[in-house]
């Protein structure tokens, strides 16, 4: 059924259609609307049988999911930012124990300074935690990915994060198609756990593993996650046959196979990028886009095949590895190893700074003319940064960095378009 | 079940002869139906109070639930010594997740059971004093506050033993641990009122809180049996001396546990809905020195000279417990 609906509400409805049996969650913006809606569905009996646990922290939220999942219940939670860091220890634990928990990450920056707006720092911080990571481009895809995620997680017995841009998607009203319960039921069978805490057939889950076997355990976790590279396209195809639309998959090409310059990105910014690319293509520029839908496991072969012909690659990153540079670009370089394709990292949209078509247009034109540097910060106020750096060189003690930066930017009256 | 009045025939250890009791009142360890929740061959130290306490508590729970139970374990000695992969000593469905999340994992297990309509399967969570009173305290309080249907058992050996005897918030005043060395003006752990979790549990007004000790295993069994049949959040705090951490002889575990209660430092009681309902009276009151002296962790209180001031402070703690819980007959 087509509905004009908030992204969070759409995701909550999709999750409810997947019939989770235990939901254990703790509020944090911009994820809250999702779990609020779900708790309402549980209270009204719309989602039944389901237990909704109001826990005292994200650490407890993920721990509750671990217990419920190990007991054989289909389990869901959602979080963002400080929340996912607070649960980090349990996040690694859930994957180590092979529990197919589905978690929405409503992507948000990580403090300090505290900032509630969107970027990808939070899920990227846990990219090596053994969870699969899927990134939604729009709300329809966010909804569809949740349905696929439960199936995928349970097939592999591994947990999955469905990442959607905080506010940009979670709080946006868009028209989405919400499938019927019958359709979802036909696609997603009930959860059959790989291993369960059964009093009639007791197992010990979570034993201490020493050096003699730990490497093998880790290797197997990797091998299991890598199976997703085959399973995800299969599930996406199955999804298309059942639901009549394309959603998910490993990558999404957009004129990338015929273009010399390829822009790579994940999440909602893909829409804006495609708009700009459309304009440039009407001018006859050879530019295309490659969306990464599955970031973990990283589809190295698919990416290499899709853009191995390119003359240059521009990676739009919504997170930043301090002291290193781009996180996505690193994976790209690995995918393109030996092909000698210049890969440019562009850090954009940190902490909710808008990524505008004007800025992207300027950026892509610079790239097309071969003048883009290795590491670019889109719309960075260089003057303000230089002043602060100069000041820091002179004065060892200065006020809180963010304060000072904001003052400096205000003084220079710089407008960010 | 009406309690059978019998007279004690052993004065040395207070052990009650099983043979004098009705079969229903005998310890589960005395029957062929003994559950063996924790099988032998695990890696606990000789004389480990925690291994003993856990074995009795879990066997009693298995007996009471007719094996329809799930156990959640916090990280700590009990977890490490019982599950060195690929071996496990547990005959019950058992999960270990992390150091600080056993109560929350148990909440999740209980929720899953509820949604699946399994009223018959009961959830027991367990951990050491560190996992319970320190790092897992937030999760435990949350579990109490929601009144989740979990029985939580804390094995209190008064320090972090698994990581090499460091102080926990259950470590008694003046005790030497690896992080509270017996040096300086105030050797050993700081003096303070400590964190006595049973009273904090009571403040949550949960249905059942009890303390128990490996010195009275029949009492421990009875409390586990009592607690397992109740619904909601329940808490049992068990005194389990650790020969390694306390610096005591392996054969002194039970004796030290008994002395802890007989001097008043570890009161034994039951509380229902936040009110003390029953206490175990002290039978032969002893001064705290009797408890402190056999342990190396308190050696600095006696060597080179008895530190009468600190011993008196510890005695005051014991006296306060005796008063507050009316422990004298
Ligand atoms: C987050 C975290 N911090 C620290 C540790 C290290 N650690 C493991 S067990 C333990 C102490 C356990 O003490 P306690 O709970 O009292 O149990 P005991 O070993 O004494 O039975 C510590 C500090 C850990 N596993 N996880
Ligand atoms: S260190 Fe203490 S608690 Fe740990 S196994 Fe040894 S005796 Fe038991």
């Amino acid at each position: 059924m087509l509905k004009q609906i908030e992204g969070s509400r759409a995701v909550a409805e999709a999750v409810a259609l997947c019939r989770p049996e235990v939901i254990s969650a703790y509020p944090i913006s911009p994820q809250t609307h999702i779990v609020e809606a779900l708790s309402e569905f549980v209270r009204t009996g719309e989602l039944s049988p389901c237990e909704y646990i109001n826990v005292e922290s994200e650490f407890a939220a993920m721990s509750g999911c671990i217990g419920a999942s190990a007991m054989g219940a289909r389990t869901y939670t959602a979080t963002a930012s400080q929340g996912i860091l607070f649960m980090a220890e349990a996040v690694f634990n859930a994957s180590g124990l092979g529990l197919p928990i589905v978690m929405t990450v409503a992507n948000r920056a990580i403090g300090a300074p505290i900032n509630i707006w969107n970027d990808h720092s939070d899920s990227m911080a846990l990219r090596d935690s053994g969870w699969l990571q899927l990134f939604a481009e729009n709300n329809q895809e966010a909804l569809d990915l949740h349905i696929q995620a439960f199936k995928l997680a349970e097939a592999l017995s591994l947990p999955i994060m469905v990442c959607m841009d905080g506010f940009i998607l979670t709080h946006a009203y868009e028209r989405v198609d919400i499938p019927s319960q019958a359709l979802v039921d036909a696609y997603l069978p009930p959860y059959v756990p790989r291993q369960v805490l059964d009093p009639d057939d007791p197992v010990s889950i979570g034993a201490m593993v020493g050096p003699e076997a730990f490497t093998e355990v880790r290797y197997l976790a990797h091998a299991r996650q890598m199976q997703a590279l085959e399973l995800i396209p299969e599930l996406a195809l199955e999804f298309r046959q059942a639901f009549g639309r394309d959603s998910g998959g490993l990558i999404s090409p957009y004129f990338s196979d015929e273009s010399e310059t390829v822009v790579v990105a994940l999440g909602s910014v893909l829409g804006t990028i495609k708009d700009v690319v459309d304009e440039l293509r009407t001018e006859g520029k050879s530019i295309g886009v490659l969306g990464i839908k599955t970031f973990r496991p990283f589809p190295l072969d698919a990416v290499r095949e899709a853009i191995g012909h390119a003359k240059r690659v521009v990676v739009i990153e919504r997170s930043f590895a301090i002291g290193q540079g781009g996180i996505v670009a690193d994976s790209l370089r690995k995918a393109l190893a030996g092909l000698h394709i210049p890969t440019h990292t562009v850090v954009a949209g940190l902490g909710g700074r808008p990524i505008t078509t004007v800025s992207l247009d300027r950026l892509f034109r610079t790239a097309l003319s071969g003048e883009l540097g290795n590491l670019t910060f889109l719309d960075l106020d260089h003057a303000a940064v230089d002043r602060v750096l100069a000041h820091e060189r002179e004065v060892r003690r200065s006020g809180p960095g963010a304060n000072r930066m904001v003052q400096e930017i205000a003084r220079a009256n710089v407008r960010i378009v | 079940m009406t309690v059978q009045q019998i007279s004690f025939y052993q004065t040395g250890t207070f052990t009650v002869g099983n043979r004098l009791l009705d079969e229903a009142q005998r310890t589960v360890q005395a029957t062929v139906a003994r559950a063996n929740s924790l099988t032998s061959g695990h890696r606990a130290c000789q004389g480990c109070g925690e291994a003993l306490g856990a074995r009795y508590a879990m066997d009693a729970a298995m007996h009471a639930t007719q094996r329809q139970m799930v156990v959640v374990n916090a990280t700590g000695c009990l977890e490490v010594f019982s599950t060195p992969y690929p071996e496990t000593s547990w005959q019950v469905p058992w999960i270990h997740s992390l150091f600080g999340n056993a109560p929350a994992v148990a909440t999740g297990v209980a929720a899953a059971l509820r949604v699946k309509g399994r009223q018959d399967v009961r959830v027991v969570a367990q951990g050491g004093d560190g996992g319970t009173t320190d790092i897992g305290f937030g999760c435990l309080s949350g579990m109490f506050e929601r009144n989740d249907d979990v029985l939580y058992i804390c094995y209190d050996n008064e320090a972090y033993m698994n990581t090499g005897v460091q102080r926990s918030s259950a470590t008694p005043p003046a005790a030497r641990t690896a992080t509270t060395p017996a040096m300086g003006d105030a050797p050993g752990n700081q003096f303070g009122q400590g964190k006595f979790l049973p009273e904090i549990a009571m403040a949550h007004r949960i249905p059942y809180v009890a303390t128990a000790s490996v010195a009275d295993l029949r009492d421990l069994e009875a409390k586990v049996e009592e607690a397992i049949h109740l619904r909601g959040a329940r808490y049992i705090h068990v005194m389990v001396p650790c020969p390694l951490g306390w610096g005591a002889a392996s054969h002194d575990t039970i004796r030290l546990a008994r002395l802890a209660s007989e001097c008043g430092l570890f009161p034994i009681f039951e509380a229902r809905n936040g009110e003390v309902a029953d206490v175990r009276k002290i039978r032969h009151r002893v001064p705290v020195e009797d408890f402190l002296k056999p342990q190396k962790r308190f050696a600095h209180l006696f060597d080179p000279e008895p530190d009468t001031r600190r011993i008196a402070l510890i005695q005051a703690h014991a006296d306060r417990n005796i008063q507050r819980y009316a422990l004298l007959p």
Side-chain angles (χ1 to χ4, degrees):
Chain A
M1 189 178 51
L2 282 177
K3 265 195 191 175
Q4 181 76 14
I5 189 174
E6 195 201 36
S8 297
R9 188 85 187 181
V11 164
E13 291 197 16
V15 169
L17 288 169
C18 295
R19 302 184 187 277
E21 293 165 292
V22 175
I23 297 169
S24 161
Y26 193 79
I28 184 169
S29 293
Q31 155 275 141
T32 36
H33 291 184
I34 300 174
V35 294
E36 283 168 5
L38 283 165
S39 80
E40 181 191 314
F41 298 157
V42 172
R43 275 292 164 92
T44 57
E46 237 169 294
L47 172 52
S48 175
C50 180
E51 287 288 329
Y52 187 97
I53 317 172
N54 278 300
V55 282
E56 69 286 349
S57 74
E58 283 88 357
F59 177 59
M62 183 47 64
S63 303
C65 288
I66 287 170
S69 186
M71 196 64 228
R74 180 170 290 165
T75 306
Y76 171 82
T77 190
T79 194
S81 185
Q82 320 299 130
I84 199 171
L85 292 195
F86 198 64
M87 66 167 65
E89 193 192 6
V91 170
F92 275 78
N93 201 255
S95 60
L97 295 177
L99 300 171
I101 299 159
V102 172
M103 169 160 73
T104 309
V105 179
N107 288 110
R108 162 181 156 179
I110 292 172
I114 189 167
N115 170 306
I116 63 165
W117 294 276
N118 167 249
D119 69 32
H120 292 168
S121 310
D122 49 3
S123 47
M124 286 298 168
L126 291 185
R127 68 187 181 276
D128 303 328
S129 61
W131 286 56
L132 283 84
Q133 289 191 343
L134 314 178
F135 279 80
E137 181 177 336
N138 51 44
N139 281 341
Q140 183 67 62
E141 194 169 65
L143 182 156
D144 295 343
L145 283 180
H146 280 86
I147 301 169
Q148 294 177 49
F150 278 104
K151 187 157 176 158
L152 181 61
E154 289 164 16
L156 297 171
S157 209
L158 281 179
I160 299 188
M161 290 177 207
V162 181
C163 305
M164 64 190 293
D165 284 309
F167 294 113
I168 298 169
L169 294 183
T170 54
H171 288 56
Y173 280 73
E174 278 179 24
R175 204 165 64 144
V176 295
D177 183 11
I178 301 200
S180 68
Q181 184 70 63
L183 212 51
V184 176
D185 284 348
Y187 180 78
L188 179 66
Y191 168 38
V192 182
R194 189 172 53 119
Q195 189 175 54
V196 67
L197 296 163
D198 179 0
D200 298 323
D201 186 12
V203 286
S204 296
I205 299 179
M208 187 188 69
V209 177
E212 65 286 351
F214 197 78
T215 307
E216 285 70 16
V217 173
R218 277 288 183 267
Y219 180 89
L220 290 169
H222 175 67
R224 195 134 40 88
Q225 198 185 90
M226 294 306 272
Q227 290 171 16
L229 293 176
E230 276 174 29
L231 202 53
I232 288 171
E234 279 171 31
L235 288 184
L237 185 65
E238 229 183 280
F239 186 88
R240 174 211 173 97
Q241 282 158 357
F243 294 80
R245 61 176 169 267
D246 279 318
S247 245
L250 299 174
I251 50 173
S252 70
Y254 186 76
F255 298 115
S256 50
D257 54 341
E258 53 187 76
S259 302
E260 291 181 355
T261 298
V262 178
V263 183
V264 176
L266 15 93
S268 64
V269 73
L270 281 166
T272 321
I273 292 173
K274 284 176 191 169
D275 278 353
V276 178
V277 163
D278 281 346
E279 297 270 322
L280 291 169
R281 289 188 69 83
T282 58
E283 291 176 25
K285 305 273 198 264
S286 177
I287 183 165
V289 187
L290 186 77
I292 307 284
K293 303 278 167 182
T294 301
F295 186 66
R296 279 290 183 275
F298 193 81
L300 288 175
D301 293 343
V303 167
R304 187 180 173 93
E305 212 172 295
I307 58 171
H309 65 279
K311 283 244 172 76
R312 70 176 67 84
V313 175
V314 179
V315 189
I316 306 291
E317 309 254 9
R318 310 211 65 182
S319 64
F320 173 45
I322 295 176
Q324 194 276 119
I327 296 171
V328 183
D330 245 19
S331 298
L332 253 304
R333 288 199 184 94
K334 192 171 174 210
L336 304 176
L339 297 180
H340 307 292
I341 303 171
T343 303
H344 308 276
T345 307
V346 180
V347 178
L350 294 188
R353 176 166 297 182
I355 302 176
T356 63
T357 51
V358 177
S359 303
L360 287 180
D361 182 79
R362 200 182 311 131
L363 177 85
F364 295 161
R365 284 181 196 279
T366 314
L368 285 162
S369 65
E371 282 160 22
L372 193 63
N374 268 341
L375 176 61
T376 308
F377 285 77
L378 192 70
D379 294 333
L380 180 75
D381 182 350
H382 287 279
V385 169
D386 289 346
R387 269 196 305 279
V388 174
L389 286 176
H391 181 82
E392 278 189 2
R393 249 173 285 175
E394 288 160 21
V395 188
R396 293 302 296 266
R397 281 166 192 273
S398 58
N403 254 354
R404 205 182 151 69
M405 176 70 76
V406 169
Q407 279 167 12
E408 288 289 343
I409 289 176
R411 200 176 304 156
N413 198 18
V414 177
R415 236 188 290 138
I416 291 139
V417 284
Chain B
M1 165 165 83
T2 51
V3 177
Q4 220 180 341
Q5 288 298 327
I6 50 125
S7 53
F8 294 97
Y9 68 93
Q10 278 176 313
T11 51
T13 63
F14 304 129
T15 307
V16 178
N18 255 311
R19 284 153 299 172
L20 297 183
L21 294 170
D22 264 351
E23 221 164 293
Q25 288 183 310
R26 290 184 191 173
T27 164
V28 290
Q29 305 296 329
T31 67
V32 284
R34 164 173 142 178
N36 263 324
S37 57
L38 181 65
T39 55
S40 56
H42 56 66
R43 316 294 207 262
C45 311
Q46 205 174 24
C48 173
E50 183 158 322
L52 182 66
R55 170 46 202 297
Y56 270 69
M58 289 304 124
D59 274 4
M62 274 179 97
H63 182 72
T65 59
Q66 297 179 327
R67 295 174 179 258
Q68 294 303 301
M69 63 185 276
V70 173
V71 178
V72 180
N73 213 127
T75 310
C77 270
L78 179 58
E79 166 260 330
V80 169
F81 74 59
S82 65
T83 61
Y85 179 86
E87 296 156 21
T88 174
S89 287
W90 296 102
Q91 302 291 300
V92 275
W94 180 94
I95 180 169
H96 157 250
S97 174
L98 294 166
F99 188 23
N101 72 353
V105 172
T107 292
V109 172
L113 286 167
R114 209 159 46 238
V115 82
K116 290 181 180 301
R118 290 298 299 265
Q119 290 268 321
D120 55 325
V121 181
R122 310 310 308 276
V123 187
V124 183
Q126 55 184 355
D129 48 291
T132 307
T133 69
D134 293 333
I135 199 167
F137 182 64
C139 286
L140 187 69
S141 177
M143 187 203 102
F144 286 164
E145 180 270 323
R146 289 186 300 269
N147 200 25
D148 292 324
D149 194 20
V150 175
L151 165 60
Y152 190 100
I153 302 178
C154 168
Y155 303 106
D156 183 3
N157 52 23
E158 303 194 326
Y160 299 151
M161 297 313 177
N162 184 51
T163 35
V165 196
Q166 299 90 9
R167 172 202 178 274
S168 83
S169 59
T171 299
R176 182 203 63 86
T177 69
T179 49
T180 56
M183 303 168 185
D185 301 341
N189 195 27
Q190 81 210 45
F191 265 87
Q193 70 167 39
K195 202 195 267 188
F196 188 48
L197 211 96
E199 285 179 5
I200 303 175
M202 283 162 65
H204 290 77
R205 302 284 186 271
I206 55 174
Y208 187 80
V209 174
T211 61
S213 164
V214 287
D216 191 345
L217 290 161
R218 189 66 196 102
D219 179 63
L220 169 63
E221 286 178 335
K223 283 171 175 163
V224 170
E225 248 173 81
E226 173 73 29
I228 207 108
H229 291 303
L230 298 169
R231 295 276 165 181
R234 292 140 287 149
Y235 181 75
I236 300 179
H237 192 99
V238 192
M239 163 58 61
V240 292
C242 161
L244 187 102
W246 291 19
S250 301
H251 59 255
D252 267 348
T253 299
I254 306 287
R255 187 167 76 94
L256 284 170
R258 179 164 2 89
L259 289 168
S261 294
E262 294 288 282
C263 72
L265 282 176
F266 190 79
I268 299 209
F269 62 94
E270 271 179 306
R272 287 168 201 275
N273 304 312
E275 304 297 334
V276 175
D278 198 9
V279 301
R280 194 158 183 86
K281 301 285 185 191
I282 289 174
R283 286 160 51 79
H284 291 288
R285 189 179 178 183
V286 294
V288 291
E289 282 99 322
D290 285 17
F291 169 67
L292 303 173
K293 240 182 186 158
Q295 307 178 47
K296 287 205 187 81
R297 66 175 172 158
F298 293 115
H300 57 282
L301 289 179
F302 300 96
D303 191 29
E305 311 255 278
D307 185 342
T308 45
R309 199 175 64 81
R310 286 198 171 73
I311 294 170
L313 280 169
I314 296 171
Q315 185 64 54
H317 272 281
D319 293 346
R320 196 181 55 162
N321 280 342
I322 287 172
Q323 267 237 305
R324 178 187 289 184
Y325 292 96
L327 294 176
L328 293 178

